[in-house]
Amino acid sequence: MTEAILSVTHLNKRFKRQPVLQDVTFDCEPGRIIGLVGANGAGKTTIMKSILGLIRTEGAVTIAGQAMQFDRHPALAQVGALIEYPSLYPYLSGWDNLRLFARDQDVAAQIQALVTQFDMSDYIHRKARTYSLGMKQKLGIALAFLNHPQLVILDEPMNGLDPQGTKQLRDFIVAQKQQGVTLLISSHILGELQKLADDLVIIDHGRVIQRTTMAAALALTEHYVVVATEHDGQAKAALTAAGYQLAAGTPVKLLLAPDQSVADVLAVLQQQHITVTDVQHQDADLEQIVLTLLASSKA
């Protein structure tokens, strides 16, 4: 089994005697994207701050085999992060902000690559105080990936990004993963997270209620097929007679069991000489899955 690059073990935290984190435990394996999911106030940002040693927490955090402590954390040299909002020097340009945090002096090529990747060329030499929310977010993300970190922690990284910026970030994250970088990402934009995450850690009221892979989570949901035909009434009758479970409504929409295939459905219709004009798959999305899990945890 691959050794985890990040291990969080029995993390507990209280604010004014109120439990915020309760026995939070999970691992992050190298080269994977882990989605940290939960409602607002569930404890996601507190977990990330605990990992980075920004707040004192009971429990243990290990990064690349090194134990993290509140006042001693050499392992952070391998970590990049964006938590809540980018911390920028407002009277420095975006370029100078990047150069300031670069560990190597000769980093112009790396900075230029990040500037190009996130389409910041038009404003990178302007003072950061003049930036819009989206501009600041891009610069904060670039800072997180500066110095070639092996673990990157991103809290709501799509915040303030337009569709183009979101796609740029998504493509960059996938490319970083392919190079072996591990990413722990918290986002309320679950549709985007569904496209990225390999693993899921679902949090509710400071507790981990589910640790699973994205593939396993999606496999538990019902899978529907919507078939467009030239004779929907005949198609429904034929499929019902063949034992398929159809959803109510106008389209020919049927629940596909694990042992059934689209080819089987099409064969039934072909035998009845019913012409099929389109076939679409419909699966539950991550939002539905998370809502279901959160509801079941409260039952």
Side-chain angles (χ1 to χ4, degrees):
M1 182 176 178
T2 306
E3 183 179 357
I5 189 169
L6 170 65
S7 291
V8 176
T9 309
H10 304 306
L11 220 57
N12 289 276
K13 178 66 178 178
R14 288 176 174 269
F15 287 137
K16 297 181 179 179
R17 300 184 180 180
Q18 183 70 27
V20 178
L21 301 181
Q22 302 180 62
D23 201 34
V24 172
T25 298
F26 64 89
D27 292 336
C28 297
E29 294 183 6
R32 293 181 72 82
I33 300 172
I34 300 89
L36 189 60
V37 180
N40 289 340
K44 304 185 297 297
T45 299
T46 303
I47 290 171
M48 290 179 159
K49 287 182 176 180
S50 300
I51 292 169
L52 295 168
L54 298 176
I55 57 175
R56 291 184 182 274
T57 315
E58 295 177 4
V61 174
T62 303
I63 298 175
Q66 299 184 63
M68 283 284 298
Q69 298 177 16
F70 179 71
D71 56 353
R72 187 175 179 275
H73 29 68
L76 289 186
Q78 304 178 56
V79 181
L82 172 61
I83 304 297
E84 295 184 313
Y85 300 101
S87 297
L88 307 174
Y89 285 93
Y91 289 95
L92 292 181
S93 68
W95 184 280
D96 286 341
N97 268 278
L98 288 165
R99 190 174 61 181
L100 180 66
F101 288 99
R103 283 199 296 270
D104 300 325
Q105 293 302 311
D106 186 19
V107 292
Q110 185 192 359
I111 291 176
Q112 185 57 56
L114 289 167
V115 168
T116 302
Q117 172 64 43
F118 294 113
D119 198 19
M120 296 187 290
S121 298
D122 289 346
Y123 56 84
I124 195 64
H125 293 291
R126 286 164 40 191
K127 291 181 179 180
R129 68 182 179 86
T130 68
Y131 287 11
S132 67
L133 175 61
M135 293 174 182
K136 290 177 180 177
Q137 190 73 359
K138 286 185 178 183
L139 182 57
I141 292 166
L143 283 164
F145 285 97
L146 197 63
N147 301 314
H148 305 291
Q150 290 304 298
L151 171 65
V152 178
I153 298 174
L154 300 174
D155 186 17
E156 300 291 350
M158 286 83 173
N159 184 36
L161 298 184
D162 60 19
Q164 182 181 6
T166 298
K167 185 180 186 305
Q168 289 169 344
L169 176 58
R170 187 197 316 139
D171 293 345
F172 185 69
I173 285 173
V174 171
Q176 291 294 303
K177 171 197 165 181
Q178 291 170 347
Q179 294 176 28
V181 177
T182 306
L183 297 106
L184 178 64
I185 304 174
S186 167
S187 177
H188 69 280
I189 308 175
L190 298 185
E192 283 298 326
L193 202 56
Q194 182 174 342
K195 299 173 186 175
L196 288 170
D198 302 301
D199 304 311
L200 290 172
V201 179
I202 301 176
I203 307 291
D204 186 34
H205 290 90
R207 295 179 298 109
V208 175
I209 63 169
Q210 185 83 353
R211 289 178 293 175
T212 186
T213 65
M214 181 67 76
L218 294 175
L220 295 174
T221 65
E222 295 180 333
H223 178 71
Y224 287 91
V225 173
V226 179
V227 183
T229 75
E230 293 183 350
H231 300 285
D232 285 356
Q234 295 178 25
K236 288 182 180 181
L239 292 168
T240 300
Y244 288 96
Q245 181 181 342
L246 271 68
T250 304
V252 182
K253 181 177 178 180
L254 58 134
L255 179 65
L256 206 62
D259 60 343
Q260 297 171 331
S261 69
V262 175
D264 297 331
V265 173
L266 297 179
V268 170
L269 298 176
Q270 187 177 22
Q271 289 171 4
Q272 299 298 317
H273 305 290
I274 299 170
T275 301
V276 175
T277 58
D278 190 30
V279 178
Q280 295 183 6
H281 296 265
Q282 287 187 0
D283 292 300
D285 57 21
L286 181 57
E287 181 178 359
Q288 292 172 294
I289 294 166
V290 170
L291 289 174
T292 300
L293 289 171
L294 291 175
S296 63
S297 73
K298 294 179 174 63

